[in-house]
Amino acid sequence: MNILEEFDTITAISTPLGVGGVGVIRISGEKAFQIIEKIFSNPKFEPRKFNHGWIIDNGVKIDEVIVLPFFAPNSYTGENVIEIQCHGGINVVKNILELVLKNGARLAEKGEFTKRAFLNKRMDLSQAESVADIIHSKTSDFANVSMKNLSGVLKEKINEIRNDIFEVLSKITAGIDFPDDVKEPEYEYLENCFQEIIEKINKVLAGAKTSNIFRQGASVAIIGKPNVGKSSLFNALLNLDRAIVTDIAGTTRDIIRETLDLGIPVTLIDTAGIREDEEISKVEKIGIEYSKQSLDEADLILFVYDASKGLDNDDKEVLNLIKDKNYILIANKSDLAKEENIEALNISALSGEGVNDLKQLLKQKVCDIEPETLEFVTNSRQQVCLVKAKESLEQAYLAAKLNELQDLISIDVKSAILALDELTGELITDDILDNIFSNFCIGK
Ligand code: GDP
């Protein structure tokens, strides 16, 4: 079946709607050339050559444009594609889109161009998903590593693992199907193979936590008694005056959040000071309740105390609350007095001393891998597939250890292959596809 015949022709504005130098309208599908011929003054196209001319509606010139033709299958979607580059004003772009729609195209759904690229085998699912990652990446490091996925690094890794599993499966199957000619593989051999493949999957999964942190960012809460300098530290880390700083205890009554770009997007949370006190106001009590909650949601806690006063009993009580969590002990106001406690990092939010060291330490604590060394990223859907494949192989390994019938072992091995096929999109349901592409934007 020719997949091109299955789809209608879609169109969308591919650039953000707003005032800009250039706007791009994309058309993909069988009728892309027919449509442009009706509305463009210079429609004699050749591959890899753009045409200059006017978009015309009923004899009226709409805009002076450049049109890029892509002949199937050499296009982003694998179909005939037309890209119209027009002037970037909102109304010009919308007028051209309307005209394209009037002449036979349908408005594309979110991610539909990339979905077609996947369905037309221009890319596998891990590459298609990386397109959304690149578009939505909050930091340049994440965009860079997502680009590696787009170039197929994850795809190749998964294919390598799939081939390893397939080779074992072939040996088992040959032994079962042709018992007179082919000897079944030794159980010890199977155990070793399964172990090696599980190890390879573990290596891919090892980057999962980092991938998730890159994608979702890490939340870092600043905790400590009132007046130790939490808001000052918040401002110093962000280089701004967002949180109100006063010398009256209890001024930060709300939770304040800001994003700090450390390669990883870090959401910094300034909380109300934690303290148990009969005298404190109701508003402040709510703030304190919030700060206890933010302790739970934080990936890392910056526990601040006043170096000039040292750790007192109240500080120790709060420290007790977080002793099992990932935290950094910060002795602030080091300009007034240095803290001797070697576990504490001396800083001065006021003078900025030690703030850069804190940023480095913070980055190490939330993400122990340097972004440049990350080969690829995985998303939670891919991680679920990898875990499924690994669990099936673990079953197969146990069965091989117990010298079970190889027919039975082959069932688990096949399940592992299916899980990887789900990852790459070889085997995928419409529901999953719709879910993946609904996270895209229109026009991509
Ligand atoms: P918070 O209640 O913990 O958020 O504390 P603030 O950030 O509002 O600071 C309380 C007071 O301590 C303010 O007067 C700040 O100027 C002062 N302060 C904060 N950090 C430092 C510091 O590193 N050195 C000195 N000397 N004073 C600081």
PDB file of all heavy atoms in Angstrom, residues 214-230:
ATOM      1  N   PHE A 214      16.844  16.816  33.284  1.00  0.00           N
ATOM      2  CA  PHE A 214      17.003  17.737  32.153  1.00  0.00           C
ATOM      3  C   PHE A 214      15.657  18.188  31.611  1.00  0.00           C
ATOM      4  O   PHE A 214      15.462  19.332  31.253  1.00  0.00           O
ATOM      5  CB  PHE A 214      17.747  17.055  31.007  1.00  0.00           C
ATOM      6  CG  PHE A 214      19.207  17.341  31.033  1.00  0.00           C
ATOM      7  CD1 PHE A 214      20.119  16.339  31.303  1.00  0.00           C
ATOM      8  CD2 PHE A 214      19.658  18.610  30.769  1.00  0.00           C
ATOM      9  CE1 PHE A 214      21.468  16.604  31.323  1.00  0.00           C
ATOM     10  CE2 PHE A 214      21.006  18.883  30.783  1.00  0.00           C
ATOM     11  CZ  PHE A 214      21.909  17.881  31.070  1.00  0.00           C
ATOM     12  N   ARG A 215      14.747  17.205  31.526  1.00  0.00           N
ATOM     13  CA  ARG A 215      13.449  17.499  30.908  1.00  0.00           C
ATOM     14  C   ARG A 215      12.577  18.316  31.856  1.00  0.00           C
ATOM     15  O   ARG A 215      12.023  19.349  31.472  1.00  0.00           O
ATOM     16  CB  ARG A 215      12.768  16.183  30.550  1.00  0.00           C
ATOM     17  CG  ARG A 215      11.439  16.363  29.847  1.00  0.00           C
ATOM     18  CD  ARG A 215      10.887  15.068  29.299  1.00  0.00           C
ATOM     19  NE  ARG A 215      11.556  14.675  28.079  1.00  0.00           N
ATOM     20  CZ  ARG A 215      12.473  13.723  27.988  1.00  0.00           C
ATOM     21  NH1 ARG A 215      12.840  13.060  29.048  1.00  0.00           N
ATOM     22  NH2 ARG A 215      13.024  13.436  26.835  1.00  0.00           N
ATOM     23  N   GLN A 216      12.446  17.842  33.093  1.00  0.00           N
ATOM     24  CA  GLN A 216      11.498  18.486  34.012  1.00  0.00           C
ATOM     25  C   GLN A 216      12.164  19.543  34.869  1.00  0.00           C
ATOM     26  O   GLN A 216      11.496  20.364  35.481  1.00  0.00           O
ATOM     27  CB  GLN A 216      10.887  17.433  34.949  1.00  0.00           C
ATOM     28  CG  GLN A 216       9.987  16.450  34.243  1.00  0.00           C
ATOM     29  CD  GLN A 216      10.097  15.055  34.829  1.00  0.00           C
ATOM     30  OE1 GLN A 216      10.619  14.885  35.924  1.00  0.00           O
ATOM     31  NE2 GLN A 216       9.639  14.050  34.110  1.00  0.00           N
ATOM     32  N   GLY A 217      13.476  19.488  34.940  1.00  0.00           N
ATOM     33  CA  GLY A 217      14.177  20.401  35.823  1.00  0.00           C
ATOM     34  C   GLY A 217      14.196  19.843  37.244  1.00  0.00           C
ATOM     35  O   GLY A 217      13.574  18.826  37.531  1.00  0.00           O
ATOM     36  N   ALA A 218      14.940  20.508  38.116  1.00  0.00           N
ATOM     37  CA  ALA A 218      15.014  20.066  39.508  1.00  0.00           C
ATOM     38  C   ALA A 218      14.464  21.184  40.376  1.00  0.00           C
ATOM     39  O   ALA A 218      14.632  22.360  40.060  1.00  0.00           O
ATOM     40  CB  ALA A 218      16.471  19.802  39.867  1.00  0.00           C
ATOM     41  N   SER A 219      13.801  20.803  41.464  1.00  0.00           N
ATOM     42  CA  SER A 219      13.342  21.878  42.343  1.00  0.00           C
ATOM     43  C   SER A 219      14.213  21.900  43.596  1.00  0.00           C
ATOM     44  O   SER A 219      14.529  20.865  44.182  1.00  0.00           O
ATOM     45  CB  SER A 219      11.857  21.744  42.672  1.00  0.00           C
ATOM     46  OG  SER A 219      11.627  20.544  43.316  1.00  0.00           O
ATOM     47  N   VAL A 220      14.621  23.092  43.938  1.00  0.00           N
ATOM     48  CA  VAL A 220      15.550  23.277  45.041  1.00  0.00           C
ATOM     49  C   VAL A 220      14.914  24.249  46.041  1.00  0.00           C
ATOM     50  O   VAL A 220      14.579  25.387  45.685  1.00  0.00           O
ATOM     51  CB  VAL A 220      16.885  23.853  44.512  1.00  0.00           C
ATOM     52  CG1 VAL A 220      17.821  24.189  45.659  1.00  0.00           C
ATOM     53  CG2 VAL A 220      17.551  22.867  43.557  1.00  0.00           C
ATOM     54  N   ALA A 221      14.710  23.781  47.261  1.00  0.00           N
ATOM     55  CA  ALA A 221      14.048  24.632  48.260  1.00  0.00           C
ATOM     56  C   ALA A 221      15.071  25.219  49.224  1.00  0.00           C
ATOM     57  O   ALA A 221      16.013  24.532  49.646  1.00  0.00           O
ATOM     58  CB  ALA A 221      13.029  23.812  49.038  1.00  0.00           C
ATOM     59  N   ILE A 222      14.900  26.501  49.544  1.00  0.00           N
ATOM     60  CA  ILE A 222      15.779  27.141  50.538  1.00  0.00           C
ATOM     61  C   ILE A 222      15.031  27.146  51.853  1.00  0.00           C
ATOM     62  O   ILE A 222      13.929  27.680  51.969  1.00  0.00           O
ATOM     63  CB  ILE A 222      16.123  28.585  50.117  1.00  0.00           C
ATOM     64  CG1 ILE A 222      16.693  28.604  48.688  1.00  0.00           C
ATOM     65  CG2 ILE A 222      17.098  29.207  51.109  1.00  0.00           C
ATOM     66  CD1 ILE A 222      17.021  29.994  48.177  1.00  0.00           C
ATOM     67  N   ILE A 223      15.650  26.515  52.851  1.00  0.00           N
ATOM     68  CA  ILE A 223      14.988  26.304  54.134  1.00  0.00           C
ATOM     69  C   ILE A 223      15.863  26.868  55.247  1.00  0.00           C
ATOM     70  O   ILE A 223      17.085  26.842  55.146  1.00  0.00           O
ATOM     71  CB  ILE A 223      14.826  24.771  54.375  1.00  0.00           C
ATOM     72  CG1 ILE A 223      13.945  24.149  53.295  1.00  0.00           C
ATOM     73  CG2 ILE A 223      14.298  24.447  55.754  1.00  0.00           C
ATOM     74  CD1 ILE A 223      12.480  24.357  53.478  1.00  0.00           C
ATOM     75  N   GLY A 224      15.226  27.302  56.298  1.00  0.00           N
ATOM     76  CA  GLY A 224      15.985  27.764  57.465  1.00  0.00           C
ATOM     77  C   GLY A 224      15.111  28.661  58.322  1.00  0.00           C
ATOM     78  O   GLY A 224      14.003  29.037  57.909  1.00  0.00           O
ATOM     79  N   LYS A 225      15.634  29.030  59.472  1.00  0.00           N
ATOM     80  CA  LYS A 225      14.868  29.889  60.393  1.00  0.00           C
ATOM     81  C   LYS A 225      14.701  31.283  59.771  1.00  0.00           C
ATOM     82  O   LYS A 225      15.469  31.664  58.887  1.00  0.00           O
ATOM     83  CB  LYS A 225      15.652  30.057  61.694  1.00  0.00           C
ATOM     84  CG  LYS A 225      15.578  28.871  62.617  1.00  0.00           C
ATOM     85  CD  LYS A 225      16.278  29.177  63.920  1.00  0.00           C
ATOM     86  CE  LYS A 225      17.508  30.032  63.732  1.00  0.00           C
ATOM     87  NZ  LYS A 225      18.307  30.265  64.898  1.00  0.00           N
ATOM     88  N   PRO A 226      13.743  32.074  60.272  1.00  0.00           N
ATOM     89  CA  PRO A 226      13.608  33.433  59.775  1.00  0.00           C
ATOM     90  C   PRO A 226      14.898  34.219  60.016  1.00  0.00           C
ATOM     91  O   PRO A 226      15.603  33.981  60.996  1.00  0.00           O
ATOM     92  CB  PRO A 226      12.465  34.017  60.613  1.00  0.00           C
ATOM     93  CG  PRO A 226      11.724  32.846  61.122  1.00  0.00           C
ATOM     94  CD  PRO A 226      12.711  31.736  61.276  1.00  0.00           C
ATOM     95  N   ASN A 227      15.183  35.112  59.078  1.00  0.00           N
ATOM     96  CA  ASN A 227      16.278  36.070  59.217  1.00  0.00           C
ATOM     97  C   ASN A 227      17.697  35.533  59.020  1.00  0.00           C
ATOM     98  O   ASN A 227      18.662  36.257  59.251  1.00  0.00           O
ATOM     99  CB  ASN A 227      16.209  36.757  60.588  1.00  0.00           C
ATOM    100  CG  ASN A 227      15.884  38.219  60.419  1.00  0.00           C
ATOM    101  OD1 ASN A 227      15.490  38.639  59.333  1.00  0.00           O
ATOM    102  ND2 ASN A 227      16.071  38.996  61.464  1.00  0.00           N
ATOM    103  N   VAL A 228      17.792  34.265  58.617  1.00  0.00           N
ATOM    104  CA  VAL A 228      19.154  33.740  58.403  1.00  0.00           C
ATOM    105  C   VAL A 228      19.704  34.172  57.039  1.00  0.00           C
ATOM    106  O   VAL A 228      20.888  34.007  56.758  1.00  0.00           O
ATOM    107  CB  VAL A 228      19.202  32.193  58.516  1.00  0.00           C
ATOM    108  CG1 VAL A 228      18.925  31.738  59.933  1.00  0.00           C
ATOM    109  CG2 VAL A 228      18.246  31.545  57.533  1.00  0.00           C
ATOM    110  N   GLY A 229      18.808  34.705  56.158  1.00  0.00           N
ATOM    111  CA  GLY A 229      19.270  35.200  54.860  1.00  0.00           C
ATOM    112  C   GLY A 229      18.796  34.365  53.679  1.00  0.00           C
ATOM    113  O   GLY A 229      19.439  34.376  52.623  1.00  0.00           O
ATOM    114  N   LYS A 230      17.661  33.681  53.834  1.00  0.00           N
ATOM    115  CA  LYS A 230      17.164  32.830  52.738  1.00  0.00           C
ATOM    116  C   LYS A 230      16.798  33.665  51.510  1.00  0.00           C
ATOM    117  O   LYS A 230      17.190  33.339  50.393  1.00  0.00           O
ATOM    118  CB  LYS A 230      15.920  32.036  53.194  1.00  0.00           C
ATOM    119  CG  LYS A 230      16.201  31.027  54.287  1.00  0.00           C
ATOM    120  CD  LYS A 230      14.977  30.264  54.679  1.00  0.00           C
ATOM    121  CE  LYS A 230      13.859  31.141  55.220  1.00  0.00           C
ATOM    122  NZ  LYS A 230      14.215  31.906  56.435  1.00  0.00           N
TER     123      LYS A 230
END
